[in-house]
Amino acid sequence: MNIGEAAARTGLPAKTIRYYEEIRLIQPHRAENGYRSFDEKDLHKLSFLARARALGFSIEDCRMLLALYEDETRASADVKRVAEGHLKRIDQKIADLEAMRATLSELVEACAGDHRPDCPILKGLSGQSAGLQG
Amino acid sequence: MNIGEAAARTGLPAKTIRYYEEIRLIQPHRAENGYRSFDEKDLHKLSFLARARALGFSIEDCRMLLALYEDETRASADVKRVAEGHLKRIDQKIADLEAMRATLSELVEACAGDHRPDCPILKGLSGQSAGLQG
DNA sequence: TATGGACCTTCCAGCGTTGGGAAGGTCAAG
DNA sequence: CTTGACCTTCCCAACGCTGGAAGGTCCATA
């Protein structure tokens, strides 16, 4: 099938599919007219990629996971290691965001939010108030 | 003072300070030799930017906040609106990451992580298992 | 057969926020 | 006079696409 149908069936934009070919995540065949030709195996790989990306795996993680997916002699430990690394990064991001959230929400709650110019948020950002480290 | 000292005193890399000038967040004067010359007001603005960026505000949010910071007749409501918008985006990001985390950690926990090829993580990513929507 | 439109191709450029590095000017110390 | 630390501008890379331009292909219809 052509790229349009592959896009429709995997939910990935055609542009993204071309990009995945360019960075050699997939290698669809070419028809005589030069059009990319996708088979079921390509579709499976694209769907795999779509799910892995939706879980936040980097492209390089995806490349590794795809290689493991295709390697029938893989050890599940190798897959798990990649996933645990990603999990750790997710946890770190969540922690960072929670920290931001805590400080910011403190400032927001202290701000009257009316017509007057006095503003604890700006005070906090300008370093005139406690609650902001760094 | 020169950019090196400004960098040291605000904790921002010199490269970043030059970028902030390029996108017109700051406008330091120039000495006769062409070097940027930072005064205390510039330092305050840079520190303000550093704190706002550390809280995850976008550059455009920072531009708005800086304008409000410098406008003595601002209404705190305008500041609060920007901050609340950002807080909302943070909450959304946290929610997205928590969702990823939940799915991924489920898969990781189901994976033996040994020498055998059987792997629930790959099964999940390939769509052969429950727990992965979209 | 001609035309139109939907598809496909490649190539180039940009997003945001730096970071790295080249090539070269300036300044202070020895 | 040299050395080395600083400064300047400019260009490229990163991430993972996304948009658009210019042009080829295919199919249906007039």
Side-chain angles (χ1 to χ4, degrees):
Chain A
M1 77 199 64
N2 287 347
I3 199 170
E5 194 180 339
R9 288 181 49 183
T10 61
L12 290 170
K15 279 269 186 187
T16 299
I17 296 176
R18 290 195 193 96
Y19 173 68
Y20 287 172
E21 184 193 27
E22 189 191 332
I23 63 174
R24 278 173 295 191
L25 282 179
I26 52 167
Q27 292 91 27
H29 291 113
R30 295 290 177 135
E32 292 192 354
N33 58 11
Y35 288 14
R36 289 170 185 81
S37 180
F38 298 82
D39 59 23
E40 289 303 319
K41 203 157 184 298
D42 293 320
L43 279 200
H44 283 318
K45 288 171 81 170
L46 287 173
S47 298
F48 183 99
L49 288 169
R51 289 193 193 89
R53 293 290 297 137
L55 285 183
F57 282 102
S58 72
I59 291 285
E60 288 317 306
D61 277 349
C62 287
R63 192 188 302 283
M64 177 73 71
L65 290 171
L66 208 47
L68 290 167
Y69 177 55
E70 300 206 286
D71 175 8
E72 300 285 332
T73 73
R74 70 190 161 246
S76 66
D78 292 336
V79 182
K80 190 167 184 172
R81 186 157 21 80
V82 173
E84 279 175 338
H86 181 43
L87 203 47
K88 208 171 163 185
R89 284 191 297 275
I90 289 178
D91 284 342
Q92 183 59 57
K93 277 192 195 169
I94 291 175
D96 291 348
L97 286 169
E98 297 278 20
M100 285 182 193
R101 212 211 101 88
T103 301
L104 186 55
S105 117
E106 205 175 300
L107 293 175
V108 165
E109 274 165 35
C111 176
D114 56 22
H115 65 287
R116 291 171 301 174
D118 182 65
C119 180
I121 300 171
L122 293 179
K123 283 211 181 91
L125 290 173
S126 69
Q128 294 168 40
S129 166
L132 271 180
Q133 267 53 296
Chain B
M1 77 200 63
N2 287 345
I3 199 169
E5 194 180 338
R9 288 182 48 184
T10 60
L12 289 170
K15 279 268 186 187
T16 299
I17 297 177
R18 290 196 192 95
Y19 174 67
Y20 287 173
E21 184 193 27
E22 189 191 333
I23 63 174
R24 278 173 295 189
L25 282 179
I26 52 168
Q27 292 90 27
H29 291 113
R30 294 291 177 133
E32 291 191 354
N33 59 12
Y35 289 13
R36 289 170 185 81
S37 180
F38 297 83
D39 59 23
E40 288 303 319
K41 201 157 185 300
D42 293 321
L43 279 200
H44 283 319
K45 287 171 81 169
L46 287 173
S47 299
F48 183 98
L49 288 170
R51 289 193 193 89
R53 294 288 297 140
L55 285 183
F57 282 101
S58 72
I59 292 282
E60 289 317 306
D61 277 349
C62 287
R63 192 187 301 281
M64 177 74 70
L65 290 171
L66 208 47
L68 290 167
Y69 177 55
E70 301 206 284
D71 175 8
E72 300 285 331
T73 73
R74 71 190 161 247
S76 67
D78 291 337
V79 182
K80 191 167 182 172
R81 186 158 19 80
V82 173
E84 280 175 338
H86 180 43
L87 203 47
K88 208 171 162 184
R89 284 191 297 275
I90 288 178
D91 284 341
Q92 183 59 58
K93 276 192 196 169
I94 291 175
D96 291 348
L97 286 169
E98 297 279 21
M100 284 182 193
R101 212 212 100 89
T103 302
L104 186 55
S105 117
E106 204 174 301
L107 292 175
V108 165
E109 274 164 36
C111 176
D114 56 21
H115 65 285
R116 291 171 300 172
D118 181 65
C119 179
I121 300 171
L122 293 179
K123 282 210 181 91
L125 290 172
S126 70
Q128 294 169 42
S129 167
L132 272 178
Q133 267 52 290

